[in-house]
Each structure stands twice: as C-alpha cells, then as structure tokens.
Amino acid sequence: YEYYSGGLNKQSQTTIFSVTKTITALLCGVALKEGYIHSLTDPVTIYIPELKEKNSFFSQLTIEHLLDMSAGLKFNESYSWNPFSKMAQLYYGNNSLRTICGMKFANGPGSKYHYDSMTTAILGILIERATGISYAKYLSEKIWKPLGMEQSASVSLDSKKHHTAKSYAGLTTNVREIAKIGRLYLYKGNWGGKQ
C-alpha cells in the first residue's frame, strides 16, 4: 500500500528527525564490523578524549550505553520553545561538541534507560572520529550506494565551521529509501546476498 497526501509524492523528501537515530546505529554496526570501533564496551573517551576531562562519568560511558540509551545523561528531551533547553542548544546551536562537553549526568552510565537525542549525537561524533570519515560520506559509501538508493539524501550540520552531523535528527530523504533501510534491518543487514 502506498499513498501520499498534501502534495507529496514518492520522490518527496522530508527530514525524518528521530528515525535518523536508527541510521546512526546502523553506521555504528558497520564501523564495528570494519574494525574502526574495537568493541561496543569501549569507553567513548577512547574516540572523543576531550570528554575525559569534562566529567568522570564520561570515562565509564560506553558505546553500548549510547546504543541502549542508558548513558545516564541529565537531558530533557523537551520540544518546548525554551531557547535555553539542552535540546534547543543541541538542535539549534552551532557547536554540538561544546554542548556535549557541558553535559551533566543524572545517574551512572548503564543504570537506567532514558530516551534522549544527546546519546545519539555523541554516537555520531564517535563514528566520525573512529572512521576518520564524515557522517554523510560514510553513510553514502556504506549504505546509500550499496542499497542503490534512487535519490541523494542530505544531513544537517551544526554549522559551517564545525561540520558536526545531526546524527540524531538531521537526515532528509524519502519514504522509499527508508523502506529499503527497513528491509535491510528485516534481513539482518543482508542485501541481495551481501552482508
């Protein structure tokens, strides 16, 4: 079944916001398989060493905690119009890493599930640091091209100066390309017989 309304069609592109988190997790799996990431139990400070001096909990924070959203960050996933909220700073700010460095912890990593975009923002930076490749280029090389996507996608950045991808909510694509990602997940990463 396929139906479009509001002037949209099968080529219409829209920002998929939090569905981007699923794509980021997929890229993390690719980076792990390719050896850029050694283990999901690695502390994030191996890849983002500047976090080590910001808060001692960052040294206990692992990639697995980011994927499970059990980072323990003191972050309110609020979409109110408060321009001072951490969500507003993350999404509308021009330096994602600075916002991350200023984060506090509500509890120890791994102790409690809490949905938040900040965990995936950290994961996106970690993937770029581990691979040495921009988020968009890695996505293009490892997912978009191999799946034969029909249209180019775009990824929002925090600023022209810092070029940090909004790996938690910044991918713009169309519904058919997302269906291909869904199919890839359904078949546990196998596409046309290739893992």
Side-chain angles (χ1 to χ4, degrees):
Y1 177 80
E2 191 168 9
Y3 171 78
Y4 299 94
S5 65
L8 300 175
N9 60 50
K10 65 184 179 182
Q11 273 92 30
S12 297
Q13 293 198 326
T14 58
T15 303
I16 60 171
F17 293 102
S18 286
V19 177
T20 306
K21 292 175 176 69
T22 303
I23 311 298
T24 302
L26 178 61
L27 286 178
C28 181
V30 173
L32 178 68
K33 184 180 180 207
E34 292 186 335
Y36 290 114
I37 293 173
H38 308 293
S39 170
L40 296 183
T41 59
D42 285 350
V44 300
T45 52
I46 289 175
Y47 305 93
I48 313 173
E50 56 266 54
L51 292 178
K52 193 179 289 187
E53 61 194 49
K54 300 301 178 185
N55 190 310
S56 61
F57 275 131
F58 277 121
S59 294
Q60 299 171 36
L61 181 61
T62 68
I63 297 168
E64 188 172 22
H65 296 140
L66 298 177
L67 290 166
D68 291 345
M69 294 213 171
S70 62
L73 296 170
K74 188 175 181 181
F75 185 84
N76 182 5
E77 188 82 13
S78 170
Y79 298 97
S80 67
W81 291 104
N82 178 356
F84 303 106
S85 75
K86 285 293 182 188
M87 188 66 223
Q89 289 174 28
L90 182 63
Y91 194 77
Y92 296 110
N94 61 9
N95 189 337
S96 297
L97 185 57
R98 182 178 61 210
T99 302
I100 292 165
C101 285
M103 287 303 302
K104 306 281 188 248
F105 284 77
N107 44 49
S111 61
K112 183 180 176 187
Y113 168 83
H114 176 70
Y115 178 89
D116 72 69
S117 292
M118 189 64 74
T119 58
T120 314
I122 296 169
L123 186 60
I125 292 171
L126 188 146
I127 292 166
E128 288 188 328
R129 295 279 184 91
T131 62
I133 303 169
S134 75
Y135 182 95
K137 187 173 181 184
Y138 200 56
L139 176 62
S140 177
E141 290 176 3
K142 302 303 175 181
I143 307 298
W144 236 248
K145 289 177 184 173
L147 267 57
M149 300 300 200
E150 297 171 24
Q151 289 184 296
S152 296
S154 64
V155 180
S156 299
L157 304 175
D158 62 353
S159 66
K160 288 181 181 180
K161 180 179 179 181
H162 299 288
H163 291 110
T164 303
K166 293 183 182 180
S167 58
Y168 53 91
L171 185 63
T172 299
T173 186
N174 68 54
V175 71
R176 286 189 164 201
E177 313 298 36
I178 291 302
K180 288 180 182 179
I181 299 287
R183 183 174 177 216
L184 183 69
Y185 265 91
L186 182 66
Y187 289 100
K188 301 183 186 320
N190 191 289
W191 188 265
K194 184 178 178 185
Q195 197 66 25

